[in-house]
């Protein structure tokens, strides 16, 4: 990686991942912010091509045939490298070296693959090359409410090397692009092959395009453009991606309504993690004309929840959204206020309607979003905006914030703490982490104090004092869940019993919300627990393997065998807040090794669960029992680790910027340039905040 201040696609290229048949590999995704796709365990194949409301579901197409035989059946591994603009794949089979570049061309509802085949035996030979093509395309008129995108049975028709699939509501057009002199073979509609005489050592070029649209004529037109543009597709994709990446850090570029600060550092790990988080959020930008919300940021990609934005995950990248695209963030917050956040975990943008069941984090997440938006933008007028909730209550956004800070009263148990429900309301795959958990009750303390700061901002010191008193009283009840000497907390059940829970979400959330309220001994014990039972060389466990619930599930985002991508940076911020930055600074090089497979995955394995990739924690695969998507929008939590954790930047409700970080222990010369708060640009240098 070169030492740029702003990365390019080449800087962000992953390491090569070797994908052998049925390996623990989650193949890389592709997007042009409209179309979304994923490559498959094959040197050509593509799956999950979706351009909502048109969808191919999770079907696979474009599998390579070589010499009349399915290429995967030779058992040869495929070398895979991801970049934001492309996926590069290569393999060698039967003396043929096959390399491909797969892109989602800018502005097109489809995917294009360039294929180069080189003869390596030193003899003139006939090359028989083909593709296995499938289609399950459909257009779903209503909302997408399932994790899996819709698909339907199609009728396939073939004309020459072009195959058309349709269910009557949408059309997919796929074409096998051949060089001059290649003779097309007869065959079924779903297997298109050609034969070409190749001189010894020569390289020949083929291609594959796949377009989807609601109307047959439109799909055919797109396919035609993709075929014509195939020679330049990779360069066009690189140019557009480099432009958008540069725009993230440019206050004068109108691609985004804001910008991120530029990081200056000689520390490779710090720089890599910062870029990883920033581009990981950009990856989820959706400029789909079908969106009723305009631009949105999805949550998972490319396989699951194609049109859904989860409140929780969006909030975990809250600072990035507030800095980079605050206009979109403002609209998203207002939309969520208008829906019942006690009954769903997010919304989907084809209709704007709710999706799923209640996530217990929602009030904390919404408070965090509003606070970050107002603090970083200075848009205090938003607090005075009247918004109408799902139950018909119209009030100022500032009053919503105060209501959220006390929403836990409605679920308060006899102990005085909030009962946050069952497994699906919390971590979904940890059966013991239910009901009265320390994390979200500590978050209630933070919400009360945040609302108190807002009351002071609005000139109501009496309300501020009342909120702070309630917060102080609640701290004592949260402390009652702590297990002295252990470093972790109980979860109290409805019958009053206490279940020890060695989960990172308690560590991360308690530490980032109420660290200053804890005695030094507790803080030290918590960090010791983290380093001894959760932290690993290049990642972390979400749940300690010593926990009695470790046998419950293998879903690695919240269990012993891995962690969700926001848990390492949030745990690191917690360790800093608890007074031990050294355990974070020594961890950064290992974490940076895990930024080597594209944007952060929905989960990465710890080293004991799966062999690392060049020392980096391997992304968890999508198949049962793991059910993990290739990337996740909470990548922005890594940016917050750098800005608020390591540089120690804090922005108050009124826009006051301070810094009290630990970056000097890593790179004394490091600086953040162009941190924009309330329309003013600041530099953070030598631990000081200066107007640019």
């Amino acid at each position: 990686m070169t030492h740029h201040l702003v990365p390019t696609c080449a800087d962000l290229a992953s390491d090569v991942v070797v994908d052998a048949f049925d390996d623990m590999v989650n193949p890389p995704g592709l997007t042009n912010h409209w179309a979304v796709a994923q490559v498959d365990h094959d040197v050509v194949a593509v799956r999950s091509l979706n351009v909502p409301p048109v969808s191919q579901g999770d079907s696979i197409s474009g599998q390579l045939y070589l010499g009349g035989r399915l290429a995967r059946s030779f058992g040869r591994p495929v070398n895979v490298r991801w970049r934001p603009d492309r996926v590069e794949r290569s393999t060698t089979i039967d003396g043929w070296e096959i390399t491909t570049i797969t892109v989602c061309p800018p502005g097109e509802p489809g995917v294009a693959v360039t294929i180069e085949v080189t003869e390596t035996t030193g003899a003139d030979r006939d090359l028989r090359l083909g593709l296995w093509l499938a289609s399950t395309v459909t257009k779903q008129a209503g909302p997408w409410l399932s994790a899996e995108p819709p698909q339907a049975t199609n009728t396939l028709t073939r004309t020459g090397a072009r195959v058309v699939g349709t269910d009557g509501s949408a059309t997919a057009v796929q074409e096998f692009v051949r060089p001059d002199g290649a003779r097309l073979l007869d065959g079924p509609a779903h297997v298109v092959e050609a034969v070409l005489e190749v001189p010894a050592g020569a390289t020949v070029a083929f291609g594959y395009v796949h377009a989807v649209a609601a109307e047959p004529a439109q799909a055919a037109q797109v396919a035609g453009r993709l075929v014509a543009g195939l020679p330049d597709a990779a360069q066009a994709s690189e140019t557009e991606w480099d432009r958008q990446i540069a725009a993230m850090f440019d206050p004068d570029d109108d691609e985004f309504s804001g910008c991120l600060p530029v990081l200056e550092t000689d520390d490779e790990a710090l720089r890599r993690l910062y870029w990883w988080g920033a581009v990981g959020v950009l990856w989820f930008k959706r400029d789909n004309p079908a969106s009723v919300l305009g631009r949105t940021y999805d949550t998972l990609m490319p396989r699951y929840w194609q049109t859904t934005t989860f409140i929780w995950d969006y909030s975990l990248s809250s600072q990035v959204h507030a800095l980079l695209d605050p206009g979109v963030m403002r609209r998203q917050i207002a939309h969520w206020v208008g829906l019942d956040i006690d009954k769903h975990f997010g919304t989907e943008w084809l209709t704007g309607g709710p999706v799923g069941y209640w996530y217990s984090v929602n009030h904390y997440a919404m408070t965090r979003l509003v606070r970050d938006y107002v603090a970083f933008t200075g848009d205090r007028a938003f607090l005075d905006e009247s918004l109408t909730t799902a139950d018909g209550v119209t009030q100022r956004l500032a009053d919503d914030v105060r209501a959220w800070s006390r929403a836990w009263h409605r679920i308060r148990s006899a102990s005085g703490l909030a009962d946050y429900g069952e497994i699906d309301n919390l971590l979904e795959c940890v059966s013991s982490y239910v009901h009265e958990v320390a994390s979200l009750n500590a978050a209630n303390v933070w919400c009360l104090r945040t609302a108190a700061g807002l009351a002071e901002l609005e000139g109501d010191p009496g309300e501020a004092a009342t909120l702070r008193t309630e917060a102080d009283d609640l701290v004592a009840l949260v402390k009652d869940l702590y297990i002295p000497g252990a470093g972790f907390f109980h979860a109290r059940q409805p019958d009053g019993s206490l279940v020890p829970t060695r989960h990172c979400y308690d560590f991360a959330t308690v530490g980032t919300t109420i660290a200053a309220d804890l005695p030094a001994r507790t803080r030290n014990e918590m960090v010791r627990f983290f380093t001894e039972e959760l932290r690993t060389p290049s990642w972390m466990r979400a749940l300690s393997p010593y926990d009695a619930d470790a046998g419950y599930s293998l879903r690695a985002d919240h269990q012993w065998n891995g962690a969700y991508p926001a848990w390492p940076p949030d745990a690191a911020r917690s360790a800093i807040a608890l007074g031990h930055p050294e355990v974070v600074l020594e961890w950064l090089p290992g974490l940076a090794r895990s930024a080597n497979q594209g944007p952060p995955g929905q989960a990465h394995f710890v080293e004991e669960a799966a062999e690392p990739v060049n020392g980096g924690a391997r992304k968890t695969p999508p198949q049962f029992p793991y059910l993990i998507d290739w990337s996740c929008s909470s990548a922005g939590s890594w940016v917050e680790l750098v800005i608020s954790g390591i540089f120690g930047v804090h922005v108050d409700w009124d826009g006051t910027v301070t810094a009290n970080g630990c970056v000097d222990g890593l790179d004394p010369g490091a600086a953040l340039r162009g941190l924009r708060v309330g329309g003013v640009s600041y530099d953070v240098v030598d631990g000081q905040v200066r107007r640019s």
Side-chain angles (χ1 to χ4, degrees):
M1 183 181 291
T2 53
H3 190 164
H4 299 157
L5 294 177
V6 175
T8 65
C9 289
D11 294 321
L12 297 162
S14 77
D15 291 343
V16 172
V17 177
V18 179
D19 188 352
F21 180 72
D22 211 27
D23 262 2
M24 297 283 262
V25 171
N26 202 329
L30 291 160
T31 187
N32 57 14
H33 307 296
W34 183 22
V36 174
Q38 184 177 25
V39 304
D40 197 55
H41 309 283
D42 178 276
V43 73
V44 179
V46 175
R47 69 185 304 149
S48 302
L49 172 59
N50 291 288
V51 190
V54 177
S55 168
Q56 277 280 25
D58 193 32
S59 63
I60 305 167
S61 194
Q63 293 185 75
L64 183 68
Y65 265 64
L66 184 64
R69 175 178 171 180
L70 182 69
R72 285 181 70 179
S73 72
F74 286 91
R76 300 296 300 161
V78 178
N79 297 316
V80 184
R81 184 191 297 273
W82 172 90
R83 295 180 7 162
D85 59 319
R86 68 184 67 178
V87 175
E88 301 168 349
R89 288 174 281 176
S90 65
T91 191
T92 300
I93 301 172
D94 193 28
W96 300 104
E97 182 182 277
I98 306 160
T99 62
T100 64
I101 297 176
T102 308
V103 303
C104 285
E108 297 287 9
V111 64
V113 186
T114 58
I115 307 167
E116 289 192 344
V117 183
T118 301
E119 200 290 317
T120 65
T121 68
D124 296 349
R125 291 198 290 163
D126 282 347
L127 170 65
R128 181 178 175 182
L129 194 76
L131 299 176
W132 185 93
L133 303 178
S135 182
T136 57
V137 72
T138 191
K139 179 182 178 181
Q140 181 165 305
W144 291 15
L145 298 178
S146 299
E148 299 82 6
Q151 63 185 56
T153 301
N154 278 197
T155 299
L156 289 183
T157 57
R158 173 180 168 183
T159 304
R162 176 172 285 196
V163 173
V164 176
T166 184
D167 75 331
S169 70
T171 299
V173 176
Q174 302 176 67
E175 186 163 336
F176 179 38
V177 183
R178 299 151 294 137
D180 292 340
R183 177 172 56 88
L184 196 64
L185 301 180
D186 292 332
H190 67 283
V191 179
V192 182
E193 295 181 281
V195 174
L196 177 67
E197 185 177 332
V198 180
T203 298
V204 292
F206 291 79
Y208 164 59
V209 303
H210 188 164
V212 296
E215 298 299 327
Q218 183 185 2
Q221 290 167 3
V222 173
R225 291 197 300 268
L226 294 180
V227 170
L230 201 57
D232 303 314
Q235 183 58 61
S237 183
E238 179 178 16
T239 298
E240 176 59 16
W241 268 99
D242 279 347
R243 183 192 70 79
Q244 294 205 36
I245 293 168
M248 295 182 76
F249 303 93
D250 184 353
D252 298 321
D253 195 304
D254 61 4
E255 176 66 36
F256 303 97
S257 52
C259 69
L260 295 177
V262 171
L263 171 65
E264 293 180 0
T265 182
D266 290 328
D267 189 89
E268 173 73 13
L270 186 67
R271 179 170 57 251
R272 190 174 195 183
L273 292 171
Y274 184 68
W275 288 353
W276 198 38
V279 176
V281 174
L282 171 61
W283 190 245
F284 286 89
K285 176 170 70 74
R286 293 291 171 264
D287 289 322
N288 189 317
S291 170
V292 300
L293 302 177
R295 174 177 290 180
T296 57
Y297 287 82
D298 277 356
T299 294
L300 294 174
M301 197 206 104
R303 195 170 294 201
Y304 302 124
W305 296 112
Q306 289 271 349
T307 65
T308 298
T309 305
F310 288 65
I311 299 172
W312 192 352
D313 305 72
Y314 194 87
S315 75
L316 291 165
S317 293
S318 179
Q319 281 194 7
V320 173
H321 292 297
L323 287 164
L324 177 64
D325 222 348
V328 174
M329 186 182 193
R330 191 187 205 273
R331 184 171 64 246
Q332 187 72 69
I333 291 170
H335 182 66
W336 278 332
V337 171
L339 296 170
D340 192 343
I341 63 171
D342 287 319
K343 292 183 179 178
H344 65 86
F345 53 56
T347 51
E348 68 91 44
W349 43 258
L350 284 173
T351 65
V355 179
Y357 39 80
W358 172 58
Y359 269 0
S360 54
V361 74
N362 283 356
H363 295 108
Y364 172 41
M366 290 294 291
T367 304
R368 183 174 176 180
L369 289 168
V370 173
R371 201 217 73 86
D372 282 350
Y373 171 80
V374 173
F376 280 96
T377 65
D379 181 12
R380 289 171 58 180
F382 192 31
L383 294 168
D384 289 322
E385 189 165 315
S386 292
L387 300 171
T388 302
T389 62
D391 56 2
V393 175
T394 300
Q395 60 185 8
R396 298 165 59 243
L397 179 60
D399 296 327
D400 287 315
V401 173
R402 279 194 278 273
W404 297 334
S405 75
R406 292 181 169 123
W408 62 277
H409 290 182
R410 302 196 300 267
I411 52 175
R412 183 162 42 187
S413 70
S415 72
L417 293 175
D419 183 328
Y420 278 106
E422 300 290 347
I423 185 171
D424 282 342
N425 307 123
L426 287 151
L427 297 176
E428 297 179 342
C429 53
V430 186
S431 67
S432 60
Y433 198 82
V434 291
H435 299 298
E436 296 177 40
V437 292
S439 56
L440 293 178
N441 278 287
N444 289 333
V445 176
W446 182 89
C447 289
L448 287 164
R449 290 169 174 168
T450 298
L454 174 57
E456 284 183 334
L457 183 73
E458 297 195 319
D460 191 346
E463 172 72 349
T466 299
L467 287 162
R468 287 201 172 95
T469 297
E470 184 175 350
D472 292 344
D473 292 342
L474 184 55
V475 165
L477 299 179
V478 176
K479 289 180 180 178
D480 286 343
L481 293 177
Y482 183 70
I483 304 172
F488 50 89
F489 295 80
H490 287 118
R492 185 181 287 115
Q493 305 304 298
D495 63 2
S497 61
L498 296 171
V499 178
T501 55
R502 291 166 136 105
H503 203 278
C504 76
Y505 193 60
D506 277 348
F507 174 79
T509 308
V510 171
T512 53
T513 55
I514 63 168
D517 296 287
L518 304 176
R521 180 175 178 177
T522 298
R523 295 197 300 269
N524 293 338
E525 290 169 354
M526 287 177 64
V527 174
R528 185 177 68 244
F529 159 69
F530 167 69
T531 57
E532 292 180 355
E533 297 192 26
L534 301 181
R535 189 182 69 168
T536 71
S538 61
W539 201 243
M540 68 177 288
R541 304 175 186 91
L543 182 71
S544 167
Y546 293 97
D547 192 274
D549 205 61
Y552 180 77
S553 172
L554 286 173
R555 221 184 79 181
D557 44 354
H558 304 310
Q559 267 286 347
W560 68 267
N561 55 341
Y564 178 79
W567 298 163
D570 279 10
R573 286 195 299 117
S574 174
I576 292 170
L578 292 166
H580 288 276
E582 73 283 357
V583 307
V584 175
L585 300 185
E586 68 190 23
W587 193 26
L588 290 183
L591 292 172
R593 291 196 300 271
S594 298
N596 67 340
Q597 299 154 66
Q602 184 187 347
H604 290 234
F605 280 131
V606 291
E607 295 83 349
E608 299 95 334
E611 183 70 23
V613 176
N614 287 350
R618 181 180 293 269
K619 287 192 178 191
T620 310
Q623 67 266 23
F624 185 83
Y626 308 110
L627 303 175
I628 295 297
D629 218 338
W630 182 75
S631 57
C632 181
S633 68
S634 64
S637 54
W638 294 92
V639 174
E640 185 163 354
L641 168 61
V642 175
I643 294 176
S644 293
I646 293 171
F647 277 88
V649 172
H650 177 75
V651 183
D652 213 339
W653 273 113
D654 63 2
T656 301
V657 186
T658 57
N660 182 27
C662 57
V663 71
D664 283 356
L666 189 70
D667 178 8
L672 286 173
R673 304 284 185 185
L675 175 70
R676 297 181 70 82
V677 177
V680 177
S681 182
Y682 297 91
D683 294 338
V684 184
V685 186
D686 298 328
Q688 302 296 314
V689 179
R690 306 167 184 166
R691 289 179 70 125
S692 300

